[in-house]
Amino acid sequence: MEVEFPIEVKNISKRYDKFDAVKDLSFSVRRGTVFGLLGPNGAGKTTTIRMIMNIIVPDSGTISILGKPSTDSASRVVGYLPEERGLYRKMKVLDHLVFLGEIRGLKAKEARKRSGEWLERLSLTQWSGKKVEELSKGMQQKLQFIGCVIHEPEVLILDEPFSGLDPVNARTFKDLFMEMKQKGRTLVLSTHVMEQAEKLCDEIGLINRSKMVLQGSLAEVKSRYSGNRLLLQGEGDVNRLRAIPGVLGVHGDEGVLEVELASDLARADFLRAATVVFNLESVVPHEASLDEIFVEVVGGPVEGLGEEEVA
């Protein structure tokens, strides 16, 4: 029987001496969705992922994967792509993939077959006999991804998967993740690349200082933080726009203005007043980006997110 939430994290905490790495954290990931685990460096993202994978054990709380407690066998039902490279540099590429397939429960013959198919798909066949250390960083990331999905897991956990990738390989990974989602896989994505998170995620959880500070569907979160704001394009007297009752602020230049309205001011009422003092060419609702939401909630820029946390 399929479970509705393949990953359920309930009230987990992890403390090192006097430092709370994760504190009373809870979230659930719905089947067939992409859940973005976001937050600044040191917020607790990687610690949380390592607890889900049973690499480290929470001091309190519970974690279930596919309806069962997370155990040492998590790697057989979960595809895990860690931020740090976990490859044996002296092994040959094909041999390494076969090895990874076997430790995830595949027979050697099947592991070799699937490895060959993936190497061909990701344009790595000519490198199959080379040592891992001879591959570029992007190629090694592709190799790790193959190892993550070779056993066709129902759940994928991806920690900073875009780290070190050029735009072409980043697009390849994005397409692969969307394909996995379309096949019904469930993905947990930890990334500092807000643009990618915005394109990929159905739901997000924002961690700051070891706690969950924002959680919900991406659409709901963006709507909540977009406020009553409009983007106007046109020409006219900006000061007269600012003087309209209920206008809290007008910002911008070069014919594109962001207008912030009081929550109780109907947009239709504002537009009727605005057309009297301003020649409007276009009007669209302002939608907050994840960058803007991050800054508002956490109070700092996104630079530096995703660096390896001390766990």
Side-chain angles (χ1 to χ4, degrees):
M1 178 174 147
E2 292 185 347
V3 296
E4 183 179 3
F5 298 99
I7 296 181
E8 292 189 277
V9 175
K10 297 181 179 179
N11 307 111
I12 62 170
S13 296
K14 187 66 182 179
R15 187 178 179 87
Y16 296 98
D17 296 325
K18 298 181 179 180
F19 173 68
D20 288 313
V22 173
K23 188 172 183 179
D24 197 29
L25 192 69
S26 298
F27 63 91
S28 299
V29 182
R30 192 178 302 275
R31 175 176 292 276
T33 63
V34 181
F35 182 90
L37 190 61
L38 312 176
N41 181 40
K45 304 187 305 299
T46 295
T47 300
T48 299
I49 287 173
R50 289 173 179 171
M51 285 191 283
I52 293 173
M53 292 304 301
N54 205 47
I55 297 170
I56 57 178
V57 180
D59 297 329
S60 59
T62 60
I63 299 170
S64 65
I65 299 176
L66 298 175
K68 298 179 180 180
S70 178
T71 65
D72 290 336
S73 62
S75 63
R76 291 206 175 190
V77 295
V78 175
Y80 176 42
L81 184 67
E83 179 181 5
E84 67 279 2
R85 302 291 186 273
L87 301 171
Y88 296 103
R89 295 177 59 79
K90 298 298 181 180
M91 286 188 73
K92 292 182 179 180
V93 168
L94 181 58
D95 292 341
H96 200 318
L97 289 177
V98 173
F99 167 72
L100 291 176
E102 287 183 301
I103 65 175
R104 287 166 172 77
L106 298 179
K107 298 293 186 182
K109 183 177 180 180
E110 181 63 18
R112 185 170 295 274
K113 174 178 175 291
R114 294 188 188 184
S115 297
E117 291 170 349
W118 272 108
L119 287 171
E120 182 177 359
R121 178 172 180 184
L122 296 183
S123 303
L124 292 174
T125 302
Q126 62 182 354
W127 296 87
S128 61
K130 301 290 185 179
K131 292 182 178 180
V132 171
E133 63 184 1
E134 298 179 62
L135 272 61
S136 68
K137 183 179 291 186
M139 290 178 180
Q140 289 185 29
Q141 189 74 327
K142 286 183 178 179
L143 186 62
Q144 276 214 156
F145 176 77
I146 296 172
C148 169
V149 300
I150 192 171
H151 55 309
E152 298 181 352
E154 293 185 46
V155 177
L156 301 178
I157 297 180
L158 313 163
D159 194 1
E160 296 296 342
F162 301 106
S163 177
L165 295 180
D166 60 43
V168 173
N169 281 323
R171 177 59 184 266
T172 297
F173 269 51
K174 174 180 173 291
D175 292 343
L176 286 169
F177 299 157
M178 292 306 296
E179 178 185 316
M180 294 295 161
K181 176 188 171 182
Q182 290 167 2
K183 289 181 176 180
R185 306 289 193 266
T186 303
L187 287 74
V188 175
L189 172 67
S190 176
T191 178
H192 72 282
V193 185
M194 295 294 107
E195 181 184 359
Q196 298 289 13
E198 203 155 359
K199 292 176 180 177
L200 289 167
C201 296
D202 302 295
E203 300 189 4
I204 64 166
L206 178 57
I207 302 176
N208 189 40
R209 300 175 186 255
S210 77
K211 298 179 181 179
M212 187 73 77
V213 295
L214 179 64
Q215 188 174 357
S217 76
L218 182 61
E220 291 169 350
V221 169
K222 287 169 72 69
S223 176
R224 192 187 320 166
Y225 283 86
S226 293
N228 196 10
R229 290 183 283 180
L230 298 172
L231 293 178
L232 310 182
Q233 187 169 7
E235 297 179 345
D237 191 335
V238 175
N239 289 327
R240 293 183 70 183
L241 270 183
R242 291 191 176 101
I244 295 174
V247 172
L248 302 181
V250 180
H251 312 282
D253 52 25
E254 298 182 359
V256 179
L257 301 173
E258 180 185 319
V259 180
E260 183 178 1
L261 309 178
S263 59
D264 59 352
L265 176 58
R267 292 178 178 178
D269 292 340
F270 163 75
L271 290 174
R272 276 192 291 270
T275 55
V276 176
V277 299
F278 204 80
N279 181 25
L280 293 176
E281 297 176 7
S282 67
V283 180
V284 294
H286 169 79
E287 183 178 72
S289 68
L290 275 183
D291 281 320
E292 293 172 318
I293 294 169
F294 177 90
V295 171
E296 182 170 345
V297 175
V298 175
V302 296
E303 286 82 359
L305 269 72
E307 295 171 11
E308 186 175 354
E309 299 169 11
V310 178

